[in-house]
Amino acid sequence: MPFSRPDYLRGVIDADGSVGYTEQGFPFVSLTTASTAVGAYLCHYAKKVTGAQRTIKRNARDSIYNILYTKEAAQELSAHLYYPGCLSLERKRTAAATLSDWVRPADMKIAPPRRRWKAWEDRVLLKLDSPAASAEELGRTEQSCSLRLWRLKTGRVPMPPEENAVG
């Protein structure tokens, strides 16, 4: 039998994940794993299925990955993984089936996709050293520029490579 991506990932979620509703009533699918390969694979596959991009990072407390999909992304992912007649834990299959019932409230905004920072934008930000001037130059918010500048200066994110650096 050929390898089945949804069946494999459903098994991983059955074993080390959760499917259900958050305390706020939002549908979710999550995975807790120590494996970089498994975490990266879920993120890669789920992006193809849902369009939701996740960047994995180990947590500080116990150095594991906690990957979370909520709302519409969780609905799409759970429907894809827990299809009718699939082999799975009954409680997770039942929970996945209920996620499709959730409807986004009319007054709940949909956050636009995050715009990732590029090295050239970091260089402009550092050169101008002004959130206001950088915001105008880069077409970003002043708050976004201020936070990114702080992260660069405090080492929370790596400095961009030099413009002519090879690598």
Side-chain angles (χ1 to χ4, degrees):
M1 182 162 225
F3 177 70
S4 170
R5 290 169 178 82
D7 294 341
Y8 168 74
L9 286 172
R10 184 179 57 257
V12 171
I13 298 291
D14 272 0
D16 294 323
S18 295
V19 178
Y21 287 88
T22 66
E23 189 175 311
Q24 297 82 19
F26 303 138
F28 79 92
V29 174
S30 70
L31 175 66
T32 300
T33 183
S35 169
T36 301
V38 170
Y41 186 71
L42 172 64
C43 292
H44 173 77
Y45 188 76
K47 183 170 192 272
K48 287 182 172 185
V49 172
T50 69
Q53 182 170 343
R54 298 291 182 271
T55 304
I56 63 172
K57 182 178 176 185
R58 292 187 183 274
N59 70 24
R61 187 186 73 198
D62 46 13
S63 195
I64 61 171
Y65 300 107
N66 295 301
I67 305 161
L68 176 67
Y69 295 89
T70 61
K71 301 175 186 153
E72 290 87 357
Q75 288 178 309
E76 291 176 52
L77 186 57
S78 67
H80 182 78
L81 297 178
Y82 290 89
Y83 56 85
C86 70
L87 178 64
S88 65
L89 292 177
E90 185 176 339
R91 65 185 169 81
K92 295 212 178 164
R93 185 175 55 247
T94 301
T98 68
L99 297 190
S100 64
D101 296 339
W102 182 79
V103 176
R104 178 180 287 272
D107 61 343
M108 181 183 282
K109 294 181 181 177
I110 297 176
R114 289 195 173 137
R115 188 171 142 202
R116 304 274 177 204
W117 283 88
K118 296 188 175 41
W120 71 267
E121 292 175 305
D122 285 342
R123 288 191 290 272
V124 167
L125 190 58
L126 290 164
K127 180 182 172 191
L128 296 177
D129 198 25
S130 162
S134 299
E136 190 172 321
E137 178 76 19
L138 298 172
R140 290 184 174 265
T141 65
E142 189 172 333
Q143 180 182 0
S144 173
C145 290
S146 179
L147 182 58
R148 183 66 175 188
L149 188 58
W150 174 81
R151 286 178 175 161
L152 286 163
K153 288 181 174 182
T154 59
R156 300 278 194 298
V157 296
M159 287 290 192
E162 293 298 321
E163 196 165 5
N164 297 327
V166 178

